[in-house]
Amino acid sequence: MTFETTAMHAIVAKIHARQRRQAVMRVVLGLGLPLALFALWEILARTGVIDQRFFPPPSRIVATTIETLGNANDRGQLFSDLVSTLSLLSNSFVLVAMIGILAGVLMRRYTPIRFALGPMIYATFPTPKIAIFPLLIVIFGIGNGSKMALVTLGVFFMTCMSTLSGVLYANPIYQDVAQAF
């Protein structure tokens, strides 16, 4: 072997060793930090530093989950409620996403619509939607109406702004092709 080949093998070996160390570190930190936080939470809850009414220890949460899933009546109620919630959210998401996409495309296509809706959407987009939730509860009540309104706001703004950004900054060639068809 020549000196260059030996040096090259040494460099490659160092690179592989560093990649292995990084992979191990990624796994250790990726699993270690959450486990350490759960352990800290457990200790703080058990010692009374944090109120167990609001932050029960993770061991009690796991035990209650296992107990609930073991009881046929509770499990049936849980899955029934889960299906109801997921269908409500998915239906709301699809409907509002279509409206948001349509609004974004219309705002790009027709300048007066962008001038009319743009300032209101740009001004309210950065507002955390969860901050509006108490107002939504006052308007729509504590039931599903306020939850649907929160999902509606979040989905509409994200899809409208993403669509508008996408069509505004799309390559003009793609726009020409879209107009041709």
Side-chain angles (χ1 to χ4, degrees), residues 3-152:
F3 175 73
E4 291 88 19
T5 308
T6 306
M8 185 65 77
H9 286 298
I11 292 172
V12 169
K14 285 182 181 181
I15 290 172
H16 287 301
R18 183 177 53 200
Q19 288 174 341
R20 280 192 301 274
R21 280 192 310 272
Q22 287 177 345
V24 169
M25 186 174 20
R26 185 180 305 124
V27 170
V28 168
L29 290 176
L31 293 175
L33 182 61
L35 290 176
L37 290 174
F38 278 124
L40 178 65
W41 177 10
E42 181 80 29
I43 292 168
L44 293 175
R46 295 283 178 197
T47 58
V49 174
I50 57 176
D51 192 351
Q52 288 191 16
R53 292 176 297 173
F54 302 115
F55 299 102
S59 60
R60 192 165 64 178
I61 293 172
V62 169
T64 304
T65 302
I66 291 170
E67 179 183 323
T68 300
L69 292 176
N71 185 338
N73 290 335
D74 290 343
R75 186 175 54 236
Q77 183 66 39
L78 177 68
F79 288 125
S80 171
D81 292 343
L82 180 67
V83 167
S84 173
T85 299
L86 289 178
S87 67
L88 179 75
L89 288 176
S90 61
N91 292 338
S92 299
F93 179 86
V94 169
L95 177 66
V96 176
M98 289 189 300
I99 294 170
I101 291 170
L102 179 65
V105 169
L106 289 176
M107 286 174 67
R108 163 60 175 100
R109 184 89 173 128
Y110 302 107
T111 307
I113 293 177
R114 187 171 359 145
F115 290 159
L117 296 179
M120 181 179 63
I121 290 176
Y122 296 144
T124 55
F125 176 67
T127 305
K129 305 310 174 258
I130 198 71
I132 303 171
F133 194 55
L135 179 63
L136 295 177
I137 290 174
V138 169
I139 295 170
F140 295 106
I142 197 100
N144 286 337
S146 59
K147 296 171 195 149
M148 284 182 58
L150 184 65
V151 170
T152 299

